[in-house]
Each structure stands twice: as structure tokens, then as C-alpha cells.
Amino acid sequence: MTAMREAWGRAVVEVAESDDRILMLDGDLANSTKADMFARAHPERFVQLGIAEQNMIGVAVGLADGGFIPWLSSFGVFFTHRALDPIRMLAAQTQANIKIAAAYTGLLTGLTGKTHHDVADLAIMRSMPDMTVLAPADADECAQAVRWASRHHGPVYLRIARDDVPVDFPASDAFRVGAVRRVRAGRDLTLVSTGAQSARVFGAAEQLAGRGIDCAVVHVPTIKPLDEQSLVDGIGSGGPLVVVEDHNKYGGLGGLVAEVLNRYSLMRNFKHIAVEDVWSESAPNDDLLGKHGLSSDSLANRLLQIFTESPAG
């Protein structure tokens, strides 16, 4: 298994080999985010800006205005909170051609401490005009997203998990921004997720198959812009619909799916499994996932209960 952060580092190195406009700006976390891969491969295009994320945005926008394509590397929380105003004012409002690689997102940052957690990033970034928001499921999809983002002109927020995906998640076809992926067919429950959480949802669906419950799994790699018809087609009709995300229950994928259902006047038995509007804690990743009901094992139990209690169950 390849960790998503390693796939990101390799992919940026790869695109830089054929495009000398690609730069790497780092916030003193290169060995953690794997931006150090770029530093070794292209040292003349690696810029160390230290723990100064607001300044990093300003430098990146200036470089983009000069024709470069800067990738920015730090933990997600430092972008979405510490550097939010410069992202809004300097990058999004000017449609600057910068790429924000937000590492250590979601709950998989347990041992960095609760101050380094951010489970509100999707709500923050998807509500910002002119910002593209990508949340790949695994290393392969992350690399595809990097290649797409490097070609796309405009600001991009890429949500990257720290660790590998311990589930055999189905390989993706060519990445298409906006489109959703129906990675598992099923008739009893339809499960919708995004980012690394999609793999854990897929793992839960595989467990439930052994209990005779057939779950469809729909992965949403693009939070914004979203091809809404692709989502509607992906979730189908009828039966309980369960959105699962390692994000606050407010403003993330659950809200996005509910908005689409409302716009298309689709009535569904809708359930939402997410972080219940609480601050995270310092703990091993598995403990945090279990506590919030987002590990494959705990999800399988919660989904079994939903299926049993639903009218179709």
C-alpha cells in the first residue's frame, strides 16, 4: 500500500519533470507531507517559507502572477484556519493559479494532537467562490488529481490523508473532475462517501455482504465543482441512503448531498454518519475512528442497525 501523501509527492515530482513552471512551497513540514521528495528531485524549484502560512499564500500568488504554478504544502488546518484570509482575498478572489496540498486532514492525524485536527475544512473551502475542492480516496486517485490540478488554471484545494488505505479499494479510471464513482453495486443500502473515508465505507460494505446485506458504494472525489446529475445517477433511487464522512456533520458531504436531493426533489430515507460537532482528541487513528463510528468495523455495525430498522429491512 502507498500512503496518499507519498503518492502526492511523487506525482508533483513527475509533473515537474515535464513542466518547469511547477514549484514547491513548503511550510517547514516537508518530511511529514513528503514535499521533501520534490526538494531532492528539483532543489532549484523548492522554496522553504517556514512556519508562515499566511505569507506562503502571498508568495504563491505572486509567483503565479509571474507565470509559475506553485504547489503549497502544509497541514490542512494551517491553510483552512491560519491562512484562510489570504486564501480568500489573494487567491480565490483573483482566481490565482495556486494548488493547495492540504495534508493530515480528517481524523487520521491523531498523534499530532487535537490542535492539528480539522474536520471542518470541506465546509470552509467548498463555500468559497472560485475554489476547486478535491478529495481523492487513495494513492492512485490522488496522483490523478495532482496531474489534473497541475493542468487546471485556478486555485485548487486537495485534501490528502496521511496514511495508506488498508482496504483494497477499486482502482479508478481516468479522473474526471465533478464526476462521482459508483465503486460497488448493491440493492439494500446506498452508501456515499468522499476522501479516504470512502475506502473504509467500502470495507464496511464488504463485511455486510458476508451477512447477506448488499450495499452500493458511491465515492465523491470532487466536492466542488460537482456534476450533480452524476451524483443523482450514482445514488439511484429507492432504499435508505447513508452519507458517511470523516468531517463535521455540518457543511460537508452530507450537506452537499442533501442540497442536491432537494434541488432534484428526490425523497429518500436519508441518514448521515459524521463527526458529531465535537472537537477531536489526541489519540491513535484507530481509536479515533472507532470512537466516532467511522472505522470499517464500527460502520458495519451501524449500517446493519440502519438496515434492520428501515422499512425495507
Side-chain angles (χ1 to χ4, degrees):
M1 296 286 183
T2 300
M4 200 182 298
R5 57 177 177 162
E6 293 179 359
W8 167 79
R10 292 172 186 168
V12 181
V13 168
E14 175 189 306
V15 296
E17 289 171 355
S18 58
D19 191 340
D20 59 10
R21 297 173 300 167
I22 301 288
L23 306 177
M24 178 67 72
L25 278 58
D26 180 60
D28 199 28
L29 287 167
N31 63 330
S32 296
T33 64
K34 299 307 176 184
D36 56 356
M37 293 181 178
F38 193 97
R40 290 190 294 271
H42 304 289
E44 74 285 358
R45 286 188 270 162
F46 179 84
V47 184
Q48 178 56 258
L49 290 165
I51 306 174
E53 292 81 6
Q54 299 99 321
N55 184 55
M56 184 194 297
I57 302 300
V59 171
V61 171
L63 289 167
D65 189 55
F68 292 100
I69 303 173
W71 274 93
L72 287 65
S73 176
S74 187
F75 289 2
V77 67
F78 300 145
F79 287 124
T80 57
H81 290 73
R82 185 176 293 170
L84 184 58
D85 184 60
I87 290 174
R88 173 181 177 271
M89 297 294 292
L90 303 179
Q93 289 194 7
T94 68
Q95 300 177 10
N97 193 27
I98 73 170
K99 319 301 169 186
I100 300 171
Y104 286 61
T105 55
L107 287 175
L108 295 185
T109 59
L111 297 180
T112 60
K114 66 181 294 183
T115 57
H116 287 44
H117 297 187
D118 179 23
V119 291
D121 61 320
L122 295 181
I124 292 167
M125 301 309 288
R126 86 173 182 93
S127 64
M128 188 176 294
D130 294 316
M131 181 64 68
T132 295
V133 182
L134 307 178
D138 59 8
D140 175 66
E141 194 169 57
C142 181
Q144 293 187 57
V146 166
R147 291 190 284 270
W148 180 89
S150 298
R151 296 190 302 268
H152 170 74
H153 188 88
V156 175
Y157 178 83
L158 178 64
R159 195 182 207 234
I160 302 172
R162 178 189 185 278
D163 300 312
D164 63 5
V165 176
V167 175
D168 190 16
F169 195 67
S172 63
D173 298 325
F175 178 81
R176 184 169 75 84
V177 70
V180 309
R181 294 175 52 207
R182 189 176 175 92
V183 297
R184 192 181 193 284
R187 64 182 182 276
D188 295 324
L189 296 173
T190 299
L191 315 178
V192 183
S193 191
T194 188
Q197 184 62 42
S198 289
R200 295 188 286 272
V201 169
F202 184 82
E206 293 286 276
Q207 288 188 35
L208 289 175
R211 306 186 196 183
I213 300 172
D214 195 18
C215 298
V217 178
V218 177
H219 167 55
V220 184
T222 306
I223 299 298
K224 183 183 176 184
L226 175 67
D227 180 343
E228 294 187 354
Q229 188 61 56
S230 175
L231 177 63
V232 170
D233 293 342
I235 63 177
S237 61
L241 177 67
V242 187
V243 177
V244 185
E245 57 185 318
D246 62 336
H247 185 276
N248 196 315
K249 67 180 181 180
Y250 296 120
L253 181 65
L256 176 58
V257 173
E259 291 162 15
V260 174
L261 292 176
N262 180 64
R263 275 194 285 273
Y264 282 75
S265 300
L266 297 175
M267 301 298 293
R268 295 292 292 269
N269 179 356
F270 181 88
K271 305 293 184 182
H272 188 200
I273 299 174
V275 177
E276 289 291 330
D277 196 33
V278 295
W279 297 108
S280 189
E281 299 169 281
S282 304
N285 292 339
D286 289 345
D287 291 350
L288 287 175
L289 290 172
K291 176 176 180 177
H292 293 282
L294 294 168
S295 66
S296 290
D297 291 344
S298 55
L299 271 175
N301 291 329
R302 295 182 72 175
L303 294 170
L304 177 61
Q305 181 179 4
I306 289 172
F307 173 74
T308 302
E309 294 175 352
S310 69

